[in-house]
Amino acid sequence: MRNSAIPAVRRSALCALSCAALTAALPVASATAPQPPREAARVPFAARYEAVQHGGVVRAANSSARGAKGTESVNDGTTIAYVDVDSDPHTYNSSRAELRVPAGARVSWARLYWGGNLRVGEQKPPEDNGRVLIAEPGGSYKALLADSLIGHRAADGADAFQASADVTELVRSAQPGQWTVAQVNVAKGLSAVGGWGGWTLVAAYEKASEPLRRIGVWDGFETVGPRSGELRVPVDGNRFPKGTGGQLGVIAYDGDRGTSGDYLAVDTSRAKSTRLSDSANSAEDVMNSSITEFGAGRTVRFPDGTNTLGYDSDVFDLQGALREGGDRVEVRFGSEKDTVWLGALFLQADVRR
């Protein structure tokens, strides 16, 4: 049994993905280059993709910023440099990560999210927020323009943004392996709040041999902190049986490692609120500059540092939160000390045990 996917396209029409290999001059916009969509300080969370199908959701992610020599494990008040793993002298940052789509599966939907902090020593054109370079495994760079409203807000000493674009056809036709993303608009230099940024590629897939699952992706650009209060995102209003298995992924920016008070919780209609945590993410410091799955660094990526300096892309086990089942799932995200920006949530939950 399989229900067809229902993409949520409420906010904007898609822009085209350019499939021409970039020349050295492409990272700088020309006078006739298509312009990315407009920006907003707040983008409310809404469904981007929802489906019930045999399959699941996977992601690849990495950071685009690193600490300068001697400050590799510190975010605030340090000098930020770029991660740059490719051999192209025309890219100012680049990093790689593997997207593990199971063999024999068909990609039904994929989207790239990227973002960072602009307020550091070096400044680049604001239009760079809405464009990035992407290369599939074994392929060359292609220009990608954001196709939705870009979140961009200056607050508490930071100048944060997130953009995203549909890459379904590119991922569907790609070979297995590591993806490379370059030119994420992170400014390097010295800053009190630090420089941070990175990217996450999220893909939903179909495979007949896997359980029937409810899959959803919600995105926006919301600030959470001591003055802004808690963010609540209703992510599912369907019934789940007891003992349902599942996972929840989160993309967030400027979560400082070692600063307690930030949390990610799941509420259902049948159980008390459950704060998510694992061996790599404390329930009291869940946004701690990490890229993990169920507490481990399962994703193959380069570089693969454990401290990603303010960029979080984590996947948590939902079995404990869904142990009693329920007919709704709501995610709560809050921070008592840090100012953190939430960019996306992605859910996978079994329809039947």
Side-chain angles (χ1 to χ4, degrees):
M1 170 183 167
R2 176 172 65 84
N3 292 351
S4 60
I6 307 173
V9 290
R10 305 171 188 169
R11 284 170 287 184
S12 69
L14 298 180
C15 294
L17 168 64
S18 169
C19 292
L22 290 184
T23 65
L26 258 180
V28 179
S30 67
T32 59
Q35 294 301 304
R38 64 185 181 90
E39 299 180 345
R42 175 177 178 261
V43 181
F45 264 68
R48 175 68 68 175
Y49 175 86
E50 295 178 292
V52 176
Q53 62 194 37
H54 291 274
V57 60
V58 291
R59 70 95 167 88
N62 216 336
S63 174
S64 301
R66 63 178 179 83
K69 187 175 181 180
T71 61
E72 291 88 348
S73 61
V74 181
N75 185 25
D76 292 353
T78 190
T79 299
I80 296 298
Y82 291 133
V83 171
D84 197 8
V85 301
D86 65 20
S87 58
D88 189 337
H90 304 293
T91 60
Y92 52 78
N93 64 44
S94 62
S95 55
R96 295 191 181 101
E98 181 181 19
L99 185 69
R100 292 183 173 177
V101 179
R106 176 185 181 274
V107 172
S108 53
W109 176 91
R111 193 167 190 86
L112 180 72
Y113 295 91
W114 68 92
N117 179 25
L118 310 176
R119 186 171 294 179
V120 197
E122 176 206 40
Q123 297 293 318
K124 293 186 290 298
E127 56 266 26
D128 283 0
N129 295 351
R131 60 191 179 207
V132 77
L133 309 184
I134 184 171
E136 71 273 29
S140 57
Y141 280 130
K142 299 166 180 65
L144 185 65
L145 294 181
D147 60 24
S148 292
L149 186 65
I150 298 170
H152 183 194
R153 182 185 180 195
D156 294 327
D159 190 0
F161 83 96
Q162 176 180 267
S164 68
D166 185 275
V167 289
T168 302
E169 292 303 323
L170 184 61
V171 175
R172 185 177 289 163
S173 61
Q175 300 175 355
Q178 293 196 36
W179 289 75
T180 307
V181 177
Q183 308 300 71
V184 176
N185 194 8
V186 181
K188 68 178 181 179
L190 179 63
S191 169
V193 299
W196 34 265
W199 57 273
T200 296
L201 175 58
V202 182
Y205 67 88
E206 299 172 79
K207 188 174 183 181
S209 61
E210 295 202 6
L212 186 66
R213 292 176 172 134
R214 183 164 286 109
I215 298 167
V217 180
W218 297 261
D219 58 28
F221 191 69
E222 295 277 17
T223 307
V224 174
R227 295 185 296 277
S228 56
E230 185 180 74
L231 174 66
R232 291 175 176 262
V233 182
V235 297
D236 206 294
N238 296 280
R239 184 175 298 278
F240 292 100
K242 287 187 177 182
T244 294
Q247 62 187 45
L248 179 72
V250 58
I251 301 170
Y253 305 88
D254 201 26
D256 293 330
R257 179 166 297 194
T259 302
S260 62
D262 46 276
Y263 59 89
L264 180 69
V266 172
D267 295 352
T268 71
S269 58
R270 296 183 187 171
K272 293 182 180 179
S273 178
T274 301
R275 289 199 176 191
L276 300 184
S277 64
D278 51 40
S279 58
N281 301 277
S282 163
E284 300 300 323
D285 185 19
V286 71
M287 295 295 100
N288 62 354
S289 303
S290 63
I291 297 175
T292 60
E293 294 182 25
F294 307 120
R298 298 182 180 183
T299 302
V300 176
R301 56 192 179 90
F302 183 66
D304 62 352
T306 57
N307 188 334
T308 51
L309 295 180
Y311 184 71
D312 277 276
S313 182
D314 296 298
V315 179
F316 296 91
D317 189 346
L318 276 184
Q319 188 168 9
L322 299 179
R323 62 187 178 278
E324 298 299 324
D327 54 13
R328 66 169 177 82
V329 177
E330 183 179 61
V331 174
R332 295 189 297 109
F333 187 69
S335 181
E336 299 169 1
K337 297 178 183 178
D338 267 347
T339 297
V340 182
W341 285 267
L342 185 64
L345 298 165
F346 45 100
L347 171 78
Q348 169 186 304
D350 297 343
V351 174
R352 306 189 192 98
R353 283 186 292 172

mmCIF file of all heavy atoms in Angstrom, residues 287-306:
data_model
loop_
_atom_site.group_PDB
_atom_site.id
_atom_site.type_symbol
_atom_site.label_atom_id
_atom_site.label_comp_id
_atom_site.label_asym_id
_atom_site.label_seq_id
_atom_site.Cartn_x
_atom_site.Cartn_y
_atom_site.Cartn_z
ATOM 1 N N MET A 287 21.165 21.924 21.411
ATOM 2 C CA MET A 287 21.761 22.601 20.260
ATOM 3 C C MET A 287 23.193 22.963 20.617
ATOM 4 O O MET A 287 23.478 24.042 21.135
ATOM 5 C CB MET A 287 20.950 23.844 19.887
ATOM 6 C CG MET A 287 19.528 23.553 19.403
ATOM 7 S SD MET A 287 19.470 22.639 17.839
ATOM 8 C CE MET A 287 19.151 20.957 18.405
ATOM 9 N N ASN A 288 24.092 22.023 20.374
ATOM 10 C CA ASN A 288 25.459 22.128 20.888
ATOM 11 C C ASN A 288 26.506 21.991 19.793
ATOM 12 O O ASN A 288 27.584 21.436 20.023
ATOM 13 C CB ASN A 288 25.682 21.071 21.969
ATOM 14 C CG ASN A 288 25.543 19.654 21.425
ATOM 15 O OD1 ASN A 288 25.174 19.454 20.269
ATOM 16 N ND2 ASN A 288 25.845 18.674 22.257
ATOM 17 N N SER A 289 26.216 22.495 18.604
ATOM 18 C CA SER A 289 27.188 22.492 17.507
ATOM 19 C C SER A 289 27.601 21.070 17.134
ATOM 20 O O SER A 289 28.762 20.678 17.250
ATOM 21 C CB SER A 289 28.429 23.313 17.878
ATOM 22 O OG SER A 289 28.093 24.626 18.222
ATOM 23 N N SER A 290 26.625 20.281 16.649
ATOM 24 C CA SER A 290 26.918 18.893 16.307
ATOM 25 C C SER A 290 26.122 18.453 15.097
ATOM 26 O O SER A 290 25.048 18.998 14.795
ATOM 27 C CB SER A 290 26.619 17.967 17.494
ATOM 28 O OG SER A 290 25.233 18.018 17.823
ATOM 29 N N ILE A 291 26.639 17.456 14.394
ATOM 30 C CA ILE A 291 25.961 16.782 13.295
ATOM 31 C C ILE A 291 25.962 15.299 13.642
ATOM 32 O O ILE A 291 26.995 14.625 13.522
ATOM 33 C CB ILE A 291 26.658 17.043 11.945
ATOM 34 C CG1 ILE A 291 26.613 18.527 11.605
ATOM 35 C CG2 ILE A 291 26.016 16.220 10.831
ATOM 36 C CD1 ILE A 291 27.388 18.905 10.348
ATOM 37 N N THR A 292 24.829 14.795 14.129
ATOM 38 C CA THR A 292 24.761 13.431 14.646
ATOM 39 C C THR A 292 23.461 12.759 14.241
ATOM 40 O O THR A 292 22.484 13.412 13.888
ATOM 41 C CB THR A 292 24.858 13.417 16.183
ATOM 42 O OG1 THR A 292 23.762 14.181 16.733
ATOM 43 C CG2 THR A 292 26.165 14.009 16.669
ATOM 44 N N GLU A 293 23.455 11.427 14.334
ATOM 45 C CA GLU A 293 22.258 10.615 14.175
ATOM 46 C C GLU A 293 22.200 9.647 15.342
ATOM 47 O O GLU A 293 23.095 8.825 15.517
ATOM 48 C CB GLU A 293 22.283 9.848 12.857
ATOM 49 C CG GLU A 293 22.209 10.736 11.622
ATOM 50 C CD GLU A 293 22.184 9.938 10.334
ATOM 51 O OE1 GLU A 293 21.759 8.763 10.384
ATOM 52 O OE2 GLU A 293 22.584 10.477 9.299
ATOM 53 N N PHE A 294 21.166 9.787 16.181
ATOM 54 C CA PHE A 294 20.980 8.943 17.362
ATOM 55 C C PHE A 294 22.224 8.950 18.254
ATOM 56 O O PHE A 294 22.615 7.937 18.821
ATOM 57 C CB PHE A 294 20.621 7.513 16.965
ATOM 58 C CG PHE A 294 19.448 7.429 16.023
ATOM 59 C CD1 PHE A 294 19.586 6.861 14.769
ATOM 60 C CD2 PHE A 294 18.209 7.933 16.379
ATOM 61 C CE1 PHE A 294 18.517 6.798 13.894
ATOM 62 C CE2 PHE A 294 17.128 7.873 15.508
ATOM 63 C CZ PHE A 294 17.282 7.306 14.264
ATOM 64 N N GLY A 295 22.869 10.111 18.346
ATOM 65 C CA GLY A 295 24.007 10.267 19.231
ATOM 66 C C GLY A 295 25.346 9.908 18.638
ATOM 67 O O GLY A 295 26.370 10.031 19.311
ATOM 68 N N ALA A 296 25.373 9.476 17.399
ATOM 69 C CA ALA A 296 26.640 9.078 16.772
ATOM 70 C C ALA A 296 26.829 9.834 15.461
ATOM 71 O O ALA A 296 25.871 10.289 14.847
ATOM 72 C CB ALA A 296 26.648 7.567 16.502
ATOM 73 N N GLY A 297 28.076 9.952 15.064
ATOM 74 C CA GLY A 297 28.367 10.603 13.799
ATOM 75 C C GLY A 297 28.321 9.604 12.658
ATOM 76 O O GLY A 297 29.340 9.252 12.066
ATOM 77 N N ARG A 298 27.115 9.122 12.334
ATOM 78 C CA ARG A 298 26.978 8.055 11.344
ATOM 79 C C ARG A 298 27.206 8.536 9.913
ATOM 80 O O ARG A 298 27.512 7.744 9.037
ATOM 81 C CB ARG A 298 25.581 7.435 11.455
ATOM 82 C CG ARG A 298 25.300 6.788 12.809
ATOM 83 C CD ARG A 298 23.924 6.142 12.836
ATOM 84 N NE ARG A 298 23.662 5.527 14.127
ATOM 85 C CZ ARG A 298 22.555 4.846 14.405
ATOM 86 N NH1 ARG A 298 21.619 4.693 13.480
ATOM 87 N NH2 ARG A 298 22.377 4.312 15.595
ATOM 88 N N THR A 299 27.006 9.795 9.674
ATOM 89 C CA THR A 299 27.167 10.322 8.322
ATOM 90 C C THR A 299 28.648 10.438 7.969
ATOM 91 O O THR A 299 29.432 10.989 8.744
ATOM 92 C CB THR A 299 26.503 11.702 8.188
ATOM 93 O OG1 THR A 299 25.122 11.575 8.521
ATOM 94 C CG2 THR A 299 26.634 12.242 6.791
ATOM 95 N N VAL A 300 29.037 9.940 6.809
ATOM 96 C CA VAL A 300 30.396 10.117 6.313
ATOM 97 C C VAL A 300 30.504 11.526 5.745
ATOM 98 O O VAL A 300 29.747 11.907 4.852
ATOM 99 C CB VAL A 300 30.721 9.085 5.221
ATOM 100 C CG1 VAL A 300 32.109 9.342 4.645
ATOM 101 C CG2 VAL A 300 30.624 7.674 5.784
ATOM 102 N N ARG A 301 31.418 12.319 6.277
ATOM 103 C CA ARG A 301 31.546 13.706 5.814
ATOM 104 C C ARG A 301 33.004 14.147 5.945
ATOM 105 O O ARG A 301 33.786 13.558 6.691
ATOM 106 C CB ARG A 301 30.620 14.646 6.577
ATOM 107 C CG ARG A 301 30.780 14.638 8.074
ATOM 108 C CD ARG A 301 29.636 15.385 8.775
ATOM 109 N NE ARG A 301 29.788 15.339 10.218
ATOM 110 C CZ ARG A 301 30.447 16.230 10.948
ATOM 111 N NH1 ARG A 301 31.000 17.288 10.348
ATOM 112 N NH2 ARG A 301 30.548 16.112 12.248
ATOM 113 N N PHE A 302 33.326 15.192 5.204
ATOM 114 C CA PHE A 302 34.692 15.706 5.192
ATOM 115 C C PHE A 302 34.654 17.226 5.112
ATOM 116 O O PHE A 302 34.081 17.779 4.176
ATOM 117 C CB PHE A 302 35.462 15.134 3.995
ATOM 118 C CG PHE A 302 36.897 15.550 3.953
ATOM 119 C CD1 PHE A 302 37.795 15.127 4.921
ATOM 120 C CD2 PHE A 302 37.353 16.384 2.947
ATOM 121 C CE1 PHE A 302 39.117 15.515 4.882
ATOM 122 C CE2 PHE A 302 38.680 16.789 2.905
ATOM 123 C CZ PHE A 302 39.556 16.344 3.877
ATOM 124 N N PRO A 303 35.192 17.905 6.153
ATOM 125 C CA PRO A 303 35.785 17.335 7.361
ATOM 126 C C PRO A 303 34.710 16.784 8.288
ATOM 127 O O PRO A 303 33.522 17.056 8.095
ATOM 128 C CB PRO A 303 36.499 18.534 7.994
ATOM 129 C CG PRO A 303 35.698 19.703 7.552
ATOM 130 C CD PRO A 303 35.232 19.392 6.174
ATOM 131 N N ASP A 304 35.121 16.042 9.306
ATOM 132 C CA ASP A 304 34.164 15.387 10.192
ATOM 133 C C ASP A 304 34.389 15.755 11.656
ATOM 134 O O ASP A 304 34.262 14.924 12.549
ATOM 135 C CB ASP A 304 34.217 13.876 10.018
ATOM 136 C CG ASP A 304 35.571 13.281 10.378
ATOM 137 O OD1 ASP A 304 36.517 14.059 10.628
ATOM 138 O OD2 ASP A 304 35.689 12.041 10.416
ATOM 139 N N GLY A 305 34.714 17.026 11.912
ATOM 140 C CA GLY A 305 34.905 17.483 13.287
ATOM 141 C C GLY A 305 33.652 17.328 14.121
ATOM 142 O O GLY A 305 32.522 17.484 13.631
ATOM 143 N N THR A 306 33.820 17.035 15.396
ATOM 144 C CA THR A 306 32.666 16.841 16.281
ATOM 145 C C THR A 306 32.055 18.160 16.738
ATOM 146 O O THR A 306 30.904 18.197 17.158
ATOM 147 C CB THR A 306 33.070 16.022 17.519
ATOM 148 O OG1 THR A 306 34.144 16.695 18.197
ATOM 149 C CG2 THR A 306 33.531 14.627 17.112
#
